[in-house]
Structures are given as C-alpha cells and as structure tokens.
Amino acid sequence: MFDLKLIRENPDGFDAGLARRGLGPRAAEILAFDEQARKFTHSLNELQARRNASSKEIGQAKAKGDEDRFNALRAEVETIKQEIPAEEEGRERAMSAVNDILSGVPNIPDDDVPAGEDEDANVEIRRWGEPAKLDGAKEHFDLGEALGQMDFETAVKMSGSRFVLLKGQLARLERALASFMLDLHTNEFGYTECQPPLLVKDETLYGTGQLPKFAEDQFVTTADLTLIPTAEVSLTNIVREEILSAEALPLRFTAWTPCFRSEAGSAGRDTRGMIRLHQFSKVELVSITTPDQSNAEHERMTECAEEILKRLELPYRTMVLCTGDMGFSARKTYDIEVWLPGQDRYREISSCSNCGDFQARRMNTRFRGEGEKHTSFVNTLNGSGLAVGRTLVALLENYQQPDGSIAVPAVLQPYMGGAEKIEALT
RNA sequence: GGAGACGUGGCCGAGUGGUCGAAGGCGCUCCCCUGCUAAGGGAGUAUACCCCAAAAGGGUAUCGAGGGUUCGAAUCCCUUCGUCUCCGCCA
C-alpha cells in the first residue's frame, strides 16, 4: 500500500517504480479518483458542518420555546440531509476505486535492487562452503525412501499428492532441526519465540499482502478462516493496528509452524520429493523496526538465517532478487540457496525481505518517537530461518554416506538423542 | 452449545437523546512553589482526514465494528465481533 501524498507529489516517481516491476503507469488513474474522493469529502464535510450547526440551534430554539424558529430550522436540516447520501456514495465509490487499484499494486523495489525479468537476473552476493561433488549422489527422496522413513505413498493415500509422511529418525530430525533453529534465534539473536494461530482472518492476510491478489494460493476453511501460508502472516500481524513506542523497537519474533500452500500454478514443478509440498514446516523470523533501522535489520536477519547453515555446515550462496523475481510486498529480498548434491544445484532455502512500510500501511501499524506528536509507519521484515523441510532435504543430500545412511552434524546430535547417524529401519 | 452481563481516551471510570471528543481520578509532560524528601498550585496530554504558505485557528469523522431511528445518538433499535460469569461439553 502506498502513501497517496507521495503519489500526488511525485506521480512520475511512482510510475517509474512500477515500470521497474514491469508494470504500466497507474498514477494518473489513481490521482483522478483521489481528487474525486477529496472533492466529495470536502462538500460532505461542509454539509455535515451546516447540519450540525443547525441541529444545535434547534436545541436552543426548543429550549426557548421558539416554535417558528424550531420549525424553520427543522426544514433546513431536512433539505441538507437529502443532499448528504449522494456525496457519501460518491466519496465511497471514488475511495474504493483508489483502494482497489492500490491494494493490487506491489511494493516498489529499492534503488539498489538489480533490474531483471526473472530468477536468471538475480545476483549472487556471497557464497559460503564448498559445494560437494559426490559421485553417484542420490536425491533426498531416494535416500529417505531407502531408509524407510520418508513415505510418499501413504501420504498420497490419505491426502493426495504433495504431502509426505516422515517416520522414525527422519520425523525426529524435522523436530531436531526446528529446535536447533529456534534455540539459536532466541538464545543468540534475541528473537522472541511465539506459537501463533495457524488460521487467520482475511484482514490479517490483507495486512501482509496475500490478499486480495493471491487468494488462489491459500487454503480457506469452511469457517472463512485461512490456513497460514507462512508464519510471516501471524507474526507480522501481531502489531496490526498498534501504535508502538520507538524505544520498544525493534521487535523480533520467531515461530516454528506448519505452512499451507495450494501451489496453484506450479503443477508439474518439483513433483517428486519434499521440495514443494502443500504442507511444510518453517521457522520464521519477523522484525518490526523504525524506517532508519530496517536496512541494517535486513542484513542482520539474513545473517541470522545464514548462521544456521554455517553451523550445519551446509554450503550456500546468497542472492539479491532482481525486480522481476521479488514477492508482492517486498522492497528488497535476499534468497539463501543451499547446495543440493543430489540435484547438483543450489536451491532456495530461505527468503529474507524488507517490506519497508508497505505492510505497515495495510495493517495500520505505527510508532511514535519519544516526545514526538506525530506517528509514522513502522517497517516490517520477514525471513525464513529456515524452511525446515528443505533443510532436512539438504542434510540428507549433503551428509549421505556410501552405505545409504545419513551422518548427523555435530550441532544436531544433542537434539537427536546423541545419534551420530540415521540408518534404515530394521 | 444454553442463560446472563458488559465493551467509553495510555489506564481506571462517569455519562440513558441536545450545550459530550466526552466529568472525575490515575499516569505522563511542562511551569510555579517548597532549603533534601514528602506534599502543594497551574497548564497541557486521542487518532485520521480536510481548509490555511506556515503557525495560530477552524471543520469533519471516530465512545468495539457495521447498519437503522431522529432535526440531533456514547446514550434508543438491529446485526456482528470480542470480553466476563454460570451451566453443558471437551484436548
């Protein structure tokens, strides 16, 4: 969502920003409706002022027992009242026209975001670890199925495609990874652990930008509540409609939750294995900051996510997404891609975005500096720290042994009951 | 799920049709007084939008939300959301 004042002041700048997203200009159209709305608001305010003034006089006239004056004023108010609905409707129409356009417009990219159409234009900014070139490296689903602990068939039986049933040590590995991640983020990086609702209202999804544009990507229940596609939704909306004090910022929240995505439009992509599921678990990071802190917080958050991979000794590279590959609400996004020997390529395992005040405007989340009279919108950031399912995939592929077992990285062993490797069920 | 009560400013709380954006208290800010401390006095203290070059000033809306009645609604009616109490059920 955008500041209408800024669009008024600099319509060309707004359109230029849209152009970087590959979108056509909208400023002229928006401002035309905006001007209409303002005109209606103005005349409506004047009518209401006259009505209010006369109504007050009516009270006084009645108190004095001045019947003629009383009746004259009543007639006057009556005519004013007849004019009001038309103004209200006009304003409503114009305002919702502005809103309809604005709520479907994505965030404007930061100046330093590289231009480009798709993921091929993303720019690598750093790389950590040595990508393993294993002879005969297997993909995670072959490894998991051979271990007898990653069961797609049974999942299909009960839920259909894009689900998985983990069992035994792989089920535990999922839990171990999540615990490890949460411990790091809470103990070392100052995030507050949360257990948020997984079902949310439409307004909540609107706040973070999933609605109105991406309704098809969500699983909606019969109770009109929607399963969260990411804990970003719940964690960011913690501050919805709040006015925070600047001293309280930054706020940092983390949560391990299941995420539900319909994956509409990705038919045929990553159909095998655990890469793209309707349900997966993720440890999410969310920060609420002042505008001047948000860029630094973005770097920090990305490093928090990277630190997980370092400690698990999984090679990765960090990319800046180009203008064409960024999500709807993001102003700038870093993707962290982990090395998968089985696929012989890097795959996204985390996405860290600075949304600026885009979501804050939708949520109406503001802060007030000390001694300040006026409020400003906060900035919001979110990142995966990390996608747990994909981390499990990376672990299997990078730690696979010739005998089909999986070595357990040292930092994870305490979370695995001391196990040093994962072996087939006997 | 059944019965009842309630939702007012940062907090508490008054207000049952007009002069109420809202008494009073607490908290907070500023000033004054007081030889520390304690106490006391005064002023200020919601959000958004609009008018105004700006300030001053003014206007509109908001008393959970939405709608209605009325010349006029925090106050009456309807719907809805939420909270509390009792009962039932339940992890």
Side-chain angles (χ1 to χ4, degrees), chain A residues 64-79:
Chain A
K64 283 188 213 152
D66 188 344
E67 278 299 314
D68 291 344
R69 182 93 181 116
F70 178 76
N71 287 320
L73 284 165
R74 276 186 61 152
E76 187 190 325
V77 171
E78 189 51 44
T79 57

Side-chain angles (χ1 to χ4, degrees), chain A residues 134-152 164-167 169-171 173 272-275 314 339-344 389-407 421-425:
Chain A
L134 304 175
D135 276 342
K138 290 181 176 156
E139 293 208 53
H140 71 279
F141 42 82
D142 288 332
L143 294 161
E145 285 177 329
L147 290 168
Q149 297 165 58
M150 186 182 292
D151 182 349
F152 294 99
V164 69
L165 168 65
L166 296 179
K167 292 183 288 194
Q169 280 185 295
L170 286 192
L173 181 59
R272 286 207 70 185
M274 285 182 60
I275 292 291
L314 293 170
W339 176 253
L340 297 185
Q343 290 196 11
D344 196 33
R390 289 190 181 181
T391 308
L392 185 143
V393 166
L395 214 76
L396 293 191
E397 295 199 8
N398 282 278
Y399 283 87
Q400 58 182 298
Q401 305 299 311
D403 66 358
S405 70
I406 310 294
K421 58 181 177 176
I422 295 169
E423 297 179 283
L425 294 172

Side-chain angles (χ1 to χ4, degrees), chain A residues 128-405:
Chain A
W128 184 93
E130 197 56 44
K133 292 283 181 189
L134 304 175
D135 276 342
K138 290 181 176 156
E139 293 208 53
H140 71 279
F141 42 82
D142 288 332
L143 294 161
E145 285 177 329
L147 290 168
Q149 297 165 58
M150 186 182 292
D151 182 349
F152 294 99
E153 258 176 61
T154 304
V156 165
K157 183 174 67 182
M158 59 178 110
S159 304
S161 66
R162 295 202 187 282
F163 287 91
V164 69
L165 168 65
L166 296 179
K167 292 183 288 194
Q169 280 185 295
L170 286 192
R172 177 157 191 178
L173 181 59
E174 175 101 3
R175 174 163 58 97
L177 281 168
S179 290
F180 166 66
M181 293 177 192
L182 286 171
D183 283 352
L184 190 67
H185 294 316
T186 56
N187 294 335
E188 298 191 29
F189 299 140
Y191 285 86
T192 300
E193 184 170 351
C194 299
Q195 289 252 20
L198 308 178
L199 287 163
V200 296
K201 299 193 271 193
D202 285 355
E203 304 97 273
T204 310
L205 288 156
Y206 178 85
T208 33
Q210 280 76 20
L211 290 181
K213 252 196 121 172
F214 306 100
E216 328 72 48
D217 297 337
Q218 320 301 332
F219 283 112
V220 185
T221 69
T222 52
D224 278 336
L225 293 169
T226 299
L227 286 159
I228 56 169
T230 158
E232 167 202 345
V233 174
S234 309
L235 293 181
T236 307
N237 275 281
I238 289 173
V239 296
R240 176 192 175 73
E241 281 165 44
E242 297 284 333
I243 299 176
L244 307 161
S245 70
E247 305 92 87
L249 302 177
L251 292 171
R252 297 188 175 110
F253 301 118
T254 185
W256 174 41
T257 71
C259 304
F260 302 91
R261 299 186 182 178
S262 73
E263 294 299 342
S266 51
R269 293 177 63 194
D270 302 309
T271 47
R272 286 207 70 185
M274 285 182 60
I275 292 291
R276 190 176 302 275
L277 299 174
H278 286 310
Q279 176 190 327
F280 62 97
S281 88
K282 182 158 59 71
V283 170
E284 182 73 1
L285 304 172
V286 161
S287 294
I288 314 294
T289 75
T290 56
D292 58 308
Q293 292 173 321
S294 75
N295 285 340
E297 184 72 11
H298 190 205
E299 303 299 324
R300 182 187 191 274
M301 174 181 277
T302 307
E303 284 163 21
C304 291
E306 289 177 12
E307 186 62 26
I308 301 284
L309 291 171
K310 286 181 183 168
R311 300 213 186 176
L312 292 173
E313 298 179 64
L314 293 170
Y316 67 86
R317 61 179 189 174
T318 303
M319 317 287 287
V320 193
L321 296 195
C322 72
T323 51
D325 201 28
M326 279 198 309
F328 182 76
S329 299
R331 188 171 89 182
K332 182 175 182 180
T333 298
Y334 294 124
D335 268 11
I336 302 170
E337 299 182 343
V338 69
W339 176 253
L340 297 185
Q343 290 196 11
D344 196 33
R345 56 177 287 207
Y346 285 99
R347 290 299 304 251
E348 175 186 343
I349 196 166
S350 170
S351 192
C352 298
S353 296
N354 186 351
C355 298
D357 63 8
F358 186 85
Q359 294 177 324
R361 288 180 185 282
R362 291 175 161 249
M363 298 190 300
N364 197 21
T365 304
R366 292 156 291 166
F367 74 97
R368 197 195 325 260
E370 202 176 353
E372 300 268 314
K373 189 173 188 306
H374 271 281
T375 58
S376 317
F377 289 105
V378 299
N379 279 15
T380 62
L381 303 94
N382 64 79
S384 358
L386 306 163
V388 179
R390 289 190 181 181
T391 308
L392 185 143
V393 166
L395 214 76
L396 293 191
E397 295 199 8
N398 282 278
Y399 283 87
Q400 58 182 298
Q401 305 299 311
D403 66 358
S405 70

Side-chain angles (χ1 to χ4, degrees), chain A residues 43-109:
Chain A
S43 50
L44 179 65
N45 281 0
E46 278 177 353
L47 285 173
Q48 287 169 326
R50 278 167 54 198
R51 181 199 61 193
N52 290 349
S54 298
S55 289
K56 257 180 200 173
E57 274 192 62
I58 287 177
Q60 291 160 359
K62 194 163 193 192
K64 283 188 213 152
D66 188 344
E67 278 299 314
D68 291 344
R69 182 93 181 116
F70 178 76
N71 287 320
L73 284 165
R74 276 186 61 152
E76 187 190 325
V77 171
E78 189 51 44
T79 57
I80 295 173
K81 257 182 46 170
Q82 282 166 5
E83 296 176 47
I84 286 180
E87 302 295 316
E88 279 178 341
E89 280 162 32
R91 184 182 62 161
E92 198 46 48
R93 258 202 319 277
M95 280 174 53
S96 59
V98 170
N99 238 335
D100 287 351
I101 298 172
L102 283 184
S103 58
V105 171
N107 204 351
I108 302 285

